[in-house]
Amino acid sequence: MPYGSPVATDPQRVFDDLRDVAARVRGHLEAEISESVEESPAQMAPAGQISRFAQEERARVLEAGVTGLEKLAGNRADEIDEDEYFGVEAIVLLEGRPAILVQGQDFVAPEGDWSVLDGGRAAIRDSLGRVGRVEVTGHPSLDWVGTAFLVGPRTVMTNRHVAVEFSRTEDAGWSFQQGMSARVDPGEELPAGPGPAPALGPAPYAITEVIGIHPEVDMALLRVVPPDGAPLPSPLAVAADAPATLPGRPVYVIGYPAWDGRRNEPESMRRIFMDVYNVKRLQPGTATEFAPGGLVMKHDCSTLGGNSGSPVFDLADHRVLGLHFGGRYGLGNFAVPLWELVDDPLLARAEVNWV
């Protein structure tokens, strides 16, 4: 089946019961229709009309997807037309690999297979507060450059390609570029309603030093301090050993997906992210591939460019398994398997919290 998903998923692998998913999506569509049976007034503002048209188009796509899922469940894949393929992919991305908005340091767990997130809510909320957006001042074109997360008493981890946006190499190591500074903001959520977002969770903390850039993998370790000498949250637990099994293991990513038309197909991005970017999201999926002894693991969470530097968590015990560093449209996403670096001297110097 020629799916165009940026994470190369297929519905039979993503969903346990195709008929159940089809029935749930159809029920949501019927509820939406019943809530909007009244005719729109003739004088409706253009913005309102556009919103109505977008909603109708989304409903049309999902209705076609429901029909496609029902055909798949009935072993009639050869009967699925192009519109139904497109709709099935939309359902896979929205239901099977969602990008859930974080608001008020919390999230609304979706129905279906990912309702399992409710069972780990307390631990996931703890994880949310230890992941932040890397923001820069003095950069010629960017306000923020990626994601970072607490891995040591005063240490955050991110990607090399994030850190080089504000730092440079010198004979004695790395330092900030002239006139630039950076910080990690654990907030930056989409406001729950109109008006400015309330101050929630830990305050931003300044990046004061580049501890080091890893010579082999896309990783940087940075020293941070909280404002006014307040204590930092305790670091995340980083996996010191590999899970018993990896392919098919439920995982989740936390980060700040940003619009990235260079590496992702725009319509797939809109179906997942609904044109809301640059804010904190919870992105569940599965680990898909790892060769023992290697320095790359793959996963299929719905990530974008701003997720560079995001942690990949094991949903079973909430340890950080990997450092997300990129993805390739139609193939999947890539992360550094951190347990493979448990004896690395740079991570020892950064006092990584191995568990």
Side-chain angles (χ1 to χ4, degrees), residues 142-217:
L142 299 171
D143 296 322
W144 68 281
V145 291
T147 301
F149 55 101
L150 279 166
V151 294
R154 292 178 54 224
T155 304
V156 296
M157 180 180 290
T158 188
N159 291 145
R160 168 199 289 264
H161 72 265
V162 171
V164 296
E165 291 290 345
F166 55 86
S167 61
R168 63 186 178 188
T169 183
E170 295 182 333
D171 292 340
W174 290 76
S175 65
F176 284 97
Q177 294 187 37
Q178 184 68 32
M180 295 185 65
S181 62
R183 68 178 193 169
V184 178
D185 188 344
E188 300 298 347
E189 302 173 0
L190 183 73
L200 294 168
Y205 26 95
I207 298 172
T208 59
E209 177 192 354
V210 179
I211 299 172
I213 304 291
H214 201 280
E216 296 180 53
V217 297

Side-chain angles (χ1 to χ4, degrees), residues 224-286:
V224 292
V225 296
D228 304 322
L232 285 165
S234 57
L236 292 165
V238 180
D241 52 7
T245 58
L246 198 67
R249 193 175 191 86
V251 298
Y252 63 95
V253 166
I254 297 172
Y256 296 83
W259 171 265
D260 188 355
R262 298 167 303 168
R263 292 181 294 177
N264 297 280
E265 195 275 316
E267 287 305 315
S268 291
M269 291 171 60
R270 290 191 176 98
R271 290 196 294 278
I272 304 169
F273 299 97
M274 302 300 288
D275 280 335
V276 177
Y277 304 100
N278 309 331
V279 293
K280 185 176 279 188
R281 288 186 184 259
L282 167 64
Q283 299 150 279
T286 61

